[in-house]
Amino acid sequence: MRKAVYILFVFVSTISSAQVGTWEVATKSEVISSYQKTWTWFTNTQNYAFKLKYTSYKDYVSKEIIESSEGYYKRLGNKYKTEVVGIKTIQNEKVRIIIDTLDKIITVLNPGKLNPALTNAKDLEVMLDNVKALKKRKIGKSVCYRIDFIKNELYEAYEFTINDKGLLESLVYYYSEQIEEDDGDGQYLAPLKTKVKPRLEVLFTNYQAPITIAESEFQEKLIVLNDKEKINLLDKYKAFQLKDYRYQAKK
């Protein structure tokens, strides 16, 4: 679940149920149009920040939390910094560094596309050619769109909510059925397999644009880049595995 959390850009509004409307049929064109608004904002806005909160749940309706993590995202031009679910990423004009504090891995790359990387409207249009249903409902001044997929191994459904300013408020992933295994105790209790359908929600709050961000925030002070070929890790990261992919992409 944690790896899925890393690549997904998700968040959920906390509007009370009294403000939530009923589901209606949505057209492909209006889903794409609404999504395009938020994609354009994240692409064209050069300076912003927001807070993140990822939460995964046991099933589609349960309040039982599997994992929860809070973080942030900051952008200044082509530089960005983000930290959530134990993964910290910093990109500046020279390098992109990904620090996985749980698996103790540091990955160094050439600067790349900005994160979070949302699917563009063209790719969304292709995806919508193979769905079971499109729906929408009002949540206060915002609109939530739901995509029900044809049966597959990844997701049963996906929701995203956009407010009246065109900002993405909510994105929820409903995973397809998975098998959860309990190994037992090796002596008295036999291994147990349970079918589960988890969901993933992430909150994005406290949008700030523009925001004053110091250039120094995009320099990782705990990693010393002596020159183009060598990386020296300071004591805090001595036990981490280092993966340097900066030059492979250029060959």
Side-chain angles (χ1 to χ4, degrees):
M1 180 69 72
R2 179 170 170 268
K3 294 302 182 185
V5 170
Y6 174 56
I7 62 174
L8 297 177
F9 179 53
V10 186
F11 48 125
V12 166
S13 85
T14 54
I15 306 297
S16 66
S17 58
Q19 295 175 284
V20 177
T22 57
W23 288 109
E24 303 174 11
V25 174
T27 65
K28 180 178 174 181
S29 60
E30 66 181 318
V31 172
I32 293 172
S33 176
S34 295
Y35 189 88
Q36 180 72 45
K37 289 180 182 178
T38 192
W39 184 85
T40 299
W41 190 89
F42 280 107
T43 302
N44 295 341
T45 307
Q46 297 293 305
N47 174 217
Y48 59 84
F50 53 76
K51 292 182 180 178
L52 288 155
K53 184 177 181 181
Y54 288 77
T55 307
S56 56
Y57 293 90
K58 184 177 180 179
D59 56 43
Y60 290 177
V61 297
S62 174
K63 295 299 182 182
E64 183 177 341
I65 295 174
I66 298 173
E67 184 179 17
S68 184
S69 177
E70 296 186 19
Y72 63 86
Y73 181 95
K74 298 179 180 181
R75 175 184 177 181
L76 180 62
N78 290 324
K79 305 179 185 71
Y80 73 88
K81 180 180 181 181
T82 182
E83 185 170 4
V84 73
V85 293
I87 296 175
K88 181 178 182 179
T89 303
I90 296 176
Q91 174 168 299
N92 54 43
E93 66 278 356
K94 295 180 179 179
V95 69
R96 177 157 44 119
I97 301 170
I98 302 170
I99 304 170
D100 187 333
T101 60
L102 298 184
D103 291 335
K104 294 189 180 301
I105 297 172
I106 293 176
T107 304
V108 183
L109 302 154
N110 298 317
K113 291 183 178 179
L114 293 177
N115 240 359
L118 292 171
T119 301
N120 62 39
K122 279 190 175 181
D123 291 338
L124 179 64
E125 185 172 1
V126 172
M127 183 180 73
L128 294 183
D129 285 335
N130 296 291
V131 299
K132 188 163 56 176
L134 298 175
K135 303 174 185 176
K136 65 178 180 180
R137 67 177 177 181
K138 291 283 291 182
I139 303 179
K141 294 182 179 180
S142 305
V143 179
C144 176
Y145 295 91
R146 179 181 173 93
I147 302 169
D148 288 301
F149 295 103
I150 295 170
K151 188 173 181 180
N152 64 84
E153 295 181 353
L154 293 177
Y155 310 108
E156 281 198 10
Y158 162 76
E159 295 175 7
F160 65 94
T161 301
I162 297 177
N163 66 20
D164 55 347
K165 297 178 181 179
L167 290 176
L168 187 62
E169 285 186 335
S170 157
L171 223 161
V172 184
Y173 286 81
Y174 298 88
Y175 289 88
S176 298
E177 188 173 81
Q178 303 175 9
I179 303 297
E180 190 176 79
E181 295 190 19
D182 183 344
D183 295 333
D185 62 4
Q187 185 175 3
Y188 301 105
L189 298 177
L192 180 65
K193 294 184 178 182
T194 306
K195 293 181 179 180
V196 295
K197 289 184 174 183
R199 81 180 187 276
L200 174 64
E201 305 178 347
V202 186
L203 296 171
F204 277 57
T205 59
N206 196 30
Y207 276 97
Q208 299 176 72
I211 184 173
T212 301
I213 307 174
E215 289 282 347
S216 59
E217 289 206 42
F218 304 101
Q219 305 296 326
E220 176 49 59
K221 299 178 179 64
L222 300 177
I223 295 177
V224 179
L225 300 173
N226 281 345
D227 52 51
K228 291 184 178 180
E229 301 299 330
K230 188 178 181 181
I231 298 173
N232 287 336
L233 301 183
L234 297 188
D235 289 343
K236 183 175 181 178
Y237 292 141
K238 288 294 186 183
F240 282 55
Q241 180 184 1
L242 177 64
K243 297 183 178 181
D244 187 356
Y245 298 124
R246 285 176 295 167
Y247 308 108
Q248 292 186 11
K250 295 182 179 181
K251 293 179 180 179

Short mmCIF file of all heavy atoms in Angstrom, two decimals, residues 151-197:
data_model
loop_
_atom_site.label_atom_id
_atom_site.label_comp_id
_atom_site.label_asym_id
_atom_site.label_seq_id
_atom_site.Cartn_x
_atom_site.Cartn_y
_atom_site.Cartn_z
N LYS A 151 -13.95 -4.19 -14.81
CA LYS A 151 -13.18 -5.02 -13.88
C LYS A 151 -11.72 -5.16 -14.31
O LYS A 151 -11.42 -5.48 -15.46
CB LYS A 151 -13.80 -6.41 -13.76
CG LYS A 151 -13.17 -7.27 -12.66
CD LYS A 151 -13.92 -8.57 -12.47
CE LYS A 151 -13.28 -9.38 -11.35
NZ LYS A 151 -13.99 -10.66 -11.13
N ASN A 152 -10.80 -4.85 -13.37
CA ASN A 152 -9.37 -4.96 -13.63
C ASN A 152 -8.66 -5.26 -12.32
O ASN A 152 -9.28 -5.33 -11.26
CB ASN A 152 -8.83 -3.67 -14.27
CG ASN A 152 -8.94 -2.49 -13.34
OD1 ASN A 152 -8.07 -2.27 -12.49
ND2 ASN A 152 -10.02 -1.71 -13.46
N GLU A 153 -7.34 -5.42 -12.38
CA GLU A 153 -6.59 -5.83 -11.20
C GLU A 153 -6.16 -4.66 -10.31
O GLU A 153 -5.63 -4.88 -9.22
CB GLU A 153 -5.34 -6.61 -11.62
CG GLU A 153 -5.65 -7.93 -12.31
CD GLU A 153 -4.40 -8.69 -12.68
OE1 GLU A 153 -3.29 -8.13 -12.53
OE2 GLU A 153 -4.52 -9.84 -13.13
N LEU A 154 -6.39 -3.42 -10.75
CA LEU A 154 -5.92 -2.28 -9.98
C LEU A 154 -7.03 -1.60 -9.17
O LEU A 154 -6.99 -1.59 -7.94
CB LEU A 154 -5.26 -1.26 -10.92
CG LEU A 154 -3.96 -1.71 -11.58
CD1 LEU A 154 -3.47 -0.63 -12.53
CD2 LEU A 154 -2.90 -2.02 -10.54
N TYR A 155 -8.00 -1.00 -9.88
CA TYR A 155 -9.01 -0.20 -9.18
C TYR A 155 -10.42 -0.53 -9.66
O TYR A 155 -10.64 -0.78 -10.84
CB TYR A 155 -8.77 1.30 -9.41
CG TYR A 155 -7.36 1.75 -9.15
CD1 TYR A 155 -6.53 2.11 -10.21
CD2 TYR A 155 -6.85 1.81 -7.86
CE1 TYR A 155 -5.22 2.52 -9.98
CE2 TYR A 155 -5.55 2.21 -7.62
CZ TYR A 155 -4.75 2.56 -8.68
OH TYR A 155 -3.46 2.96 -8.45
N GLU A 156 -11.37 -0.44 -8.73
CA GLU A 156 -12.77 -0.57 -9.11
C GLU A 156 -13.36 0.80 -9.44
O GLU A 156 -14.22 0.93 -10.30
CB GLU A 156 -13.57 -1.22 -7.98
CG GLU A 156 -13.42 -2.73 -7.93
CD GLU A 156 -14.52 -3.39 -7.14
OE1 GLU A 156 -15.50 -2.72 -6.78
OE2 GLU A 156 -14.38 -4.59 -6.87
N ALA A 157 -12.87 1.82 -8.72
CA ALA A 157 -13.40 3.16 -8.94
C ALA A 157 -12.40 4.22 -8.49
O ALA A 157 -11.45 3.93 -7.77
CB ALA A 157 -14.72 3.34 -8.19
N TYR A 158 -12.66 5.44 -8.95
CA TYR A 158 -11.77 6.57 -8.67
C TYR A 158 -12.63 7.82 -8.59
O TYR A 158 -13.53 8.01 -9.41
CB TYR A 158 -10.75 6.65 -9.79
CG TYR A 158 -10.01 7.94 -9.96
CD1 TYR A 158 -8.97 8.29 -9.11
CD2 TYR A 158 -10.31 8.80 -11.01
CE1 TYR A 158 -8.27 9.47 -9.28
CE2 TYR A 158 -9.61 9.98 -11.20
CZ TYR A 158 -8.60 10.31 -10.33
OH TYR A 158 -7.90 11.48 -10.50
N GLU A 159 -12.41 8.65 -7.59
CA GLU A 159 -13.18 9.89 -7.45
C GLU A 159 -12.24 11.08 -7.32
O GLU A 159 -11.18 10.97 -6.70
CB GLU A 159 -14.08 9.83 -6.21
CG GLU A 159 -15.17 8.78 -6.28
CD GLU A 159 -15.96 8.68 -4.98
OE1 GLU A 159 -15.72 9.53 -4.07
OE2 GLU A 159 -16.78 7.77 -4.85
N PHE A 160 -12.62 12.21 -7.91
CA PHE A 160 -11.89 13.44 -7.67
C PHE A 160 -12.88 14.58 -7.51
O PHE A 160 -13.93 14.61 -8.16
CB PHE A 160 -10.88 13.74 -8.78
CG PHE A 160 -11.45 14.03 -10.13
CD1 PHE A 160 -11.69 15.33 -10.53
CD2 PHE A 160 -11.72 13.00 -11.01
CE1 PHE A 160 -12.21 15.61 -11.80
CE2 PHE A 160 -12.23 13.26 -12.28
CZ PHE A 160 -12.48 14.57 -12.67
N THR A 161 -12.56 15.50 -6.60
CA THR A 161 -13.45 16.62 -6.29
C THR A 161 -12.74 17.93 -6.59
O THR A 161 -11.59 18.12 -6.19
CB THR A 161 -13.88 16.58 -4.81
OG1 THR A 161 -14.55 15.35 -4.55
CG2 THR A 161 -14.80 17.74 -4.49
N ILE A 162 -13.44 18.83 -7.27
CA ILE A 162 -12.88 20.13 -7.65
C ILE A 162 -13.79 21.22 -7.12
O ILE A 162 -15.01 21.15 -7.26
CB ILE A 162 -12.74 20.23 -9.18
CG1 ILE A 162 -11.76 19.17 -9.68
CG2 ILE A 162 -12.29 21.62 -9.60
CD1 ILE A 162 -11.60 19.13 -11.17
N ASN A 163 -13.18 22.26 -6.53
CA ASN A 163 -14.00 23.34 -5.98
C ASN A 163 -14.32 24.39 -7.05
O ASN A 163 -13.92 24.26 -8.21
CB ASN A 163 -13.33 23.97 -4.75
CG ASN A 163 -12.03 24.69 -5.08
OD1 ASN A 163 -11.76 25.06 -6.23
ND2 ASN A 163 -11.21 24.92 -4.07
N ASP A 164 -15.03 25.43 -6.63
CA ASP A 164 -15.48 26.43 -7.59
C ASP A 164 -14.36 27.32 -8.12
O ASP A 164 -14.55 28.09 -9.06
CB ASP A 164 -16.58 27.31 -6.97
CG ASP A 164 -16.14 27.97 -5.67
OD1 ASP A 164 -15.09 27.56 -5.12
OD2 ASP A 164 -16.83 28.88 -5.21
N LYS A 165 -13.15 27.17 -7.55
CA LYS A 165 -11.98 27.91 -8.04
C LYS A 165 -11.13 27.08 -8.99
O LYS A 165 -10.10 27.53 -9.48
CB LYS A 165 -11.13 28.39 -6.86
CG LYS A 165 -11.84 29.37 -5.96
CD LYS A 165 -10.96 29.77 -4.78
CE LYS A 165 -11.68 30.74 -3.85
NZ LYS A 165 -10.84 31.11 -2.68
N GLY A 166 -11.56 25.86 -9.21
CA GLY A 166 -10.81 24.97 -10.11
C GLY A 166 -9.70 24.21 -9.42
O GLY A 166 -8.88 23.56 -10.10
N LEU A 167 -9.64 24.26 -8.10
CA LEU A 167 -8.61 23.53 -7.37
C LEU A 167 -9.09 22.13 -7.01
O LEU A 167 -10.24 21.94 -6.59
CB LEU A 167 -8.23 24.28 -6.09
CG LEU A 167 -7.47 25.59 -6.26
CD1 LEU A 167 -7.27 26.26 -4.91
CD2 LEU A 167 -6.13 25.35 -6.94
N LEU A 168 -8.20 21.19 -7.17
CA LEU A 168 -8.52 19.81 -6.81
C LEU A 168 -8.59 19.68 -5.30
O LEU A 168 -7.67 20.06 -4.59
CB LEU A 168 -7.43 18.89 -7.38
CG LEU A 168 -7.64 17.39 -7.26
CD1 LEU A 168 -8.88 16.97 -8.02
CD2 LEU A 168 -6.42 16.66 -7.79
N GLU A 169 -9.70 19.17 -4.81
CA GLU A 169 -9.90 18.99 -3.38
C GLU A 169 -9.81 17.52 -2.97
O GLU A 169 -9.36 17.23 -1.87
CB GLU A 169 -11.28 19.51 -2.97
CG GLU A 169 -11.39 21.01 -2.92
CD GLU A 169 -12.74 21.44 -2.37
OE1 GLU A 169 -13.70 20.65 -2.47
OE2 GLU A 169 -12.82 22.55 -1.85
N SER A 170 -10.29 16.64 -3.82
CA SER A 170 -10.45 15.27 -3.37
C SER A 170 -10.19 14.27 -4.47
O SER A 170 -10.63 14.46 -5.60
CB SER A 170 -11.88 15.10 -2.83
OG SER A 170 -12.26 13.75 -2.87
N LEU A 171 -9.46 13.23 -4.10
CA LEU A 171 -9.20 12.13 -5.02
C LEU A 171 -9.16 10.86 -4.19
O LEU A 171 -8.41 10.78 -3.22
CB LEU A 171 -7.85 12.36 -5.69
CG LEU A 171 -7.69 12.13 -7.17
CD1 LEU A 171 -6.46 12.85 -7.66
CD2 LEU A 171 -7.57 10.68 -7.49
N VAL A 172 -9.97 9.89 -4.52
CA VAL A 172 -10.09 8.66 -3.74
C VAL A 172 -9.96 7.47 -4.68
O VAL A 172 -10.60 7.42 -5.72
CB VAL A 172 -11.44 8.58 -3.00
CG1 VAL A 172 -11.50 7.35 -2.11
CG2 VAL A 172 -11.70 9.84 -2.20
N TYR A 173 -9.11 6.51 -4.28
CA TYR A 173 -8.93 5.29 -5.06
C TYR A 173 -9.56 4.11 -4.33
O TYR A 173 -9.24 3.86 -3.16
CB TYR A 173 -7.44 5.02 -5.29
CG TYR A 173 -6.82 5.93 -6.31
CD1 TYR A 173 -6.41 7.21 -5.97
CD2 TYR A 173 -6.62 5.51 -7.62
CE1 TYR A 173 -5.83 8.06 -6.89
CE2 TYR A 173 -6.05 6.35 -8.56
CZ TYR A 173 -5.65 7.62 -8.19
OH TYR A 173 -5.08 8.46 -9.10
N TYR A 174 -10.42 3.37 -5.02
CA TYR A 174 -11.02 2.14 -4.50
C TYR A 174 -10.33 0.96 -5.18
O TYR A 174 -10.54 0.72 -6.37
CB TYR A 174 -12.52 2.13 -4.79
CG TYR A 174 -13.27 3.27 -4.13
CD1 TYR A 174 -13.42 4.50 -4.77
CD2 TYR A 174 -13.83 3.12 -2.87
CE1 TYR A 174 -14.10 5.55 -4.18
CE2 TYR A 174 -14.52 4.16 -2.26
CZ TYR A 174 -14.64 5.38 -2.92
OH TYR A 174 -15.32 6.41 -2.33
N TYR A 175 -9.51 0.25 -4.43
CA TYR A 175 -8.72 -0.82 -5.00
C TYR A 175 -9.56 -2.05 -5.33
O TYR A 175 -10.55 -2.34 -4.64
CB TYR A 175 -7.61 -1.24 -4.03
CG TYR A 175 -6.51 -0.22 -3.88
CD1 TYR A 175 -6.60 0.79 -2.94
CD2 TYR A 175 -5.38 -0.26 -4.69
CE1 TYR A 175 -5.59 1.74 -2.81
CE2 TYR A 175 -4.38 0.69 -4.57
CZ TYR A 175 -4.49 1.68 -3.63
OH TYR A 175 -3.50 2.62 -3.50
N SER A 176 -9.17 -2.77 -6.37
CA SER A 176 -9.81 -4.04 -6.68
C SER A 176 -9.50 -5.04 -5.57
O SER A 176 -8.61 -4.83 -4.75
CB SER A 176 -9.30 -4.57 -8.02
OG SER A 176 -9.63 -3.69 -9.07
N GLU A 177 -10.23 -6.12 -5.56
CA GLU A 177 -10.09 -7.12 -4.48
C GLU A 177 -8.68 -7.67 -4.39
O GLU A 177 -8.06 -8.01 -5.39
CB GLU A 177 -11.07 -8.27 -4.73
CG GLU A 177 -11.15 -9.26 -3.58
CD GLU A 177 -12.24 -10.28 -3.80
OE1 GLU A 177 -11.99 -11.25 -4.56
OE2 GLU A 177 -13.35 -10.12 -3.24
N GLN A 178 -8.17 -7.71 -3.16
CA GLN A 178 -6.84 -8.23 -2.89
C GLN A 178 -6.92 -9.35 -1.85
O GLN A 178 -7.89 -9.45 -1.12
CB GLN A 178 -5.92 -7.12 -2.36
CG GLN A 178 -5.79 -5.93 -3.28
CD GLN A 178 -4.99 -4.81 -2.65
OE1 GLN A 178 -4.38 -4.96 -1.61
NE2 GLN A 178 -4.98 -3.65 -3.31
N ILE A 179 -5.88 -10.18 -1.82
CA ILE A 179 -5.80 -11.25 -0.83
C ILE A 179 -4.82 -10.84 0.25
O ILE A 179 -3.65 -10.59 -0.02
CB ILE A 179 -5.36 -12.59 -1.45
CG1 ILE A 179 -6.30 -13.00 -2.58
CG2 ILE A 179 -5.29 -13.67 -0.38
CD1 ILE A 179 -7.72 -13.25 -2.13
N GLU A 180 -5.32 -10.76 1.49
CA GLU A 180 -4.48 -10.40 2.63
C GLU A 180 -4.14 -11.69 3.38
O GLU A 180 -5.03 -12.45 3.78
CB GLU A 180 -5.25 -9.45 3.55
CG GLU A 180 -4.42 -8.82 4.63
CD GLU A 180 -5.23 -7.82 5.43
OE1 GLU A 180 -6.02 -8.24 6.30
OE2 GLU A 180 -5.10 -6.61 5.17
N GLU A 181 -2.86 -11.94 3.58
CA GLU A 181 -2.42 -13.20 4.19
C GLU A 181 -1.90 -12.98 5.60
O GLU A 181 -1.11 -12.08 5.86
CB GLU A 181 -1.32 -13.85 3.33
CG GLU A 181 -1.81 -14.27 1.96
CD GLU A 181 -0.79 -15.13 1.22
OE1 GLU A 181 0.10 -15.68 1.90
OE2 GLU A 181 -0.91 -15.24 0.00
N ASP A 182 -2.36 -13.83 6.52
CA ASP A 182 -1.86 -13.88 7.89
C ASP A 182 -1.12 -15.20 8.04
O ASP A 182 -1.70 -16.27 7.86
CB ASP A 182 -3.04 -13.80 8.87
CG ASP A 182 -2.58 -13.77 10.32
OD1 ASP A 182 -1.41 -14.12 10.58
OD2 ASP A 182 -3.40 -13.42 11.19
N ASP A 183 0.18 -15.15 8.35
CA ASP A 183 1.00 -16.35 8.39
C ASP A 183 0.72 -17.27 9.57
O ASP A 183 1.29 -18.37 9.65
CB ASP A 183 2.50 -15.97 8.42
CG ASP A 183 2.91 -15.27 7.13
OD1 ASP A 183 2.27 -15.54 6.09
OD2 ASP A 183 3.85 -14.46 7.17
N GLY A 184 -0.14 -16.86 10.48
CA GLY A 184 -0.40 -17.69 11.65
C GLY A 184 0.77 -17.64 12.61
O GLY A 184 1.63 -16.78 12.54
N ASP A 185 0.83 -18.60 13.53
CA ASP A 185 1.93 -18.61 14.49
C ASP A 185 2.93 -19.74 14.23
O ASP A 185 3.88 -19.93 14.98
CB ASP A 185 1.41 -18.71 15.92
CG ASP A 185 0.65 -20.00 16.19
OD1 ASP A 185 0.58 -20.86 15.27
OD2 ASP A 185 0.13 -20.16 17.30
N GLY A 186 2.70 -20.50 13.14
CA GLY A 186 3.63 -21.56 12.78
C GLY A 186 3.49 -22.82 13.61
O GLY A 186 4.19 -23.81 13.40
N GLN A 187 2.59 -22.80 14.61
CA GLN A 187 2.44 -23.98 15.47
C GLN A 187 0.98 -24.39 15.63
O GLN A 187 0.60 -25.51 15.28
CB GLN A 187 3.06 -23.70 16.83
CG GLN A 187 3.07 -24.92 17.75
CD GLN A 187 3.81 -24.64 19.05
OE1 GLN A 187 4.26 -23.54 19.28
NE2 GLN A 187 3.91 -25.67 19.89
N TYR A 188 0.16 -23.49 16.14
CA TYR A 188 -1.23 -23.82 16.41
C TYR A 188 -2.20 -23.20 15.41
O TYR A 188 -3.22 -23.79 15.07
CB TYR A 188 -1.62 -23.38 17.83
CG TYR A 188 -0.78 -24.03 18.91
CD1 TYR A 188 0.20 -23.31 19.57
CD2 TYR A 188 -0.98 -25.37 19.25
CE1 TYR A 188 0.97 -23.90 20.56
CE2 TYR A 188 -0.21 -25.97 20.23
CZ TYR A 188 0.77 -25.24 20.89
OH TYR A 188 1.54 -25.82 21.85
N LEU A 189 -1.87 -22.00 14.97
CA LEU A 189 -2.77 -21.29 14.06
C LEU A 189 -2.30 -21.43 12.62
O LEU A 189 -1.16 -21.11 12.30
CB LEU A 189 -2.86 -19.82 14.44
CG LEU A 189 -3.43 -19.51 15.84
CD1 LEU A 189 -3.39 -18.02 16.10
CD2 LEU A 189 -4.85 -20.04 15.97
N ALA A 190 -3.19 -21.90 11.74
CA ALA A 190 -2.85 -22.07 10.32
C ALA A 190 -2.89 -20.72 9.63
O ALA A 190 -3.58 -19.80 10.07
CB ALA A 190 -3.83 -23.03 9.68
N PRO A 191 -2.14 -20.58 8.52
CA PRO A 191 -2.20 -19.33 7.74
C PRO A 191 -3.63 -19.01 7.32
O PRO A 191 -4.41 -19.92 7.00
CB PRO A 191 -1.31 -19.64 6.53
CG PRO A 191 -0.38 -20.69 7.02
CD PRO A 191 -1.19 -21.53 7.97
N LEU A 192 -3.98 -17.73 7.33
CA LEU A 192 -5.33 -17.31 7.01
C LEU A 192 -5.30 -16.33 5.85
O LEU A 192 -4.53 -15.38 5.85
CB LEU A 192 -5.97 -16.65 8.23
CG LEU A 192 -7.41 -16.14 8.07
CD1 LEU A 192 -8.37 -17.30 7.83
CD2 LEU A 192 -7.84 -15.34 9.30
N LYS A 193 -6.14 -16.57 4.84
CA LYS A 193 -6.24 -15.67 3.70
C LYS A 193 -7.59 -14.98 3.72
O LYS A 193 -8.63 -15.63 3.82
CB LYS A 193 -6.05 -16.44 2.38
CG LYS A 193 -4.66 -17.02 2.19
CD LYS A 193 -4.51 -17.67 0.83
CE LYS A 193 -3.10 -18.19 0.62
NZ LYS A 193 -2.93 -18.81 -0.73
N THR A 194 -7.57 -13.66 3.61
CA THR A 194 -8.79 -12.87 3.65
C THR A 194 -8.88 -11.98 2.42
O THR A 194 -7.90 -11.35 2.02
CB THR A 194 -8.82 -11.98 4.91
OG1 THR A 194 -8.61 -12.79 6.06
CG2 THR A 194 -10.15 -11.26 5.02
N LYS A 195 -10.06 -11.92 1.82
CA LYS A 195 -10.28 -11.03 0.68
C LYS A 195 -10.62 -9.63 1.18
O LYS A 195 -11.50 -9.46 2.03
CB LYS A 195 -11.42 -11.57 -0.20
CG LYS A 195 -11.09 -12.88 -0.90
CD LYS A 195 -12.25 -13.34 -1.77
CE LYS A 195 -11.91 -14.64 -2.48
NZ LYS A 195 -13.03 -15.10 -3.35
N VAL A 196 -9.90 -8.63 0.69
CA VAL A 196 -10.13 -7.25 1.13
C VAL A 196 -10.21 -6.33 -0.08
O VAL A 196 -9.69 -6.63 -1.15
CB VAL A 196 -9.00 -6.77 2.08
CG1 VAL A 196 -9.00 -7.57 3.36
CG2 VAL A 196 -7.65 -6.83 1.39
N LYS A 197 -10.89 -5.19 0.12
CA LYS A 197 -10.98 -4.16 -0.91
C LYS A 197 -10.65 -2.81 -0.25
O LYS A 197 -11.55 -2.06 0.12
CB LYS A 197 -12.38 -4.12 -1.52
CG LYS A 197 -12.71 -5.31 -2.41
CD LYS A 197 -14.09 -5.12 -3.05
CE LYS A 197 -14.41 -6.21 -4.05
NZ LYS A 197 -15.71 -5.97 -4.72
#
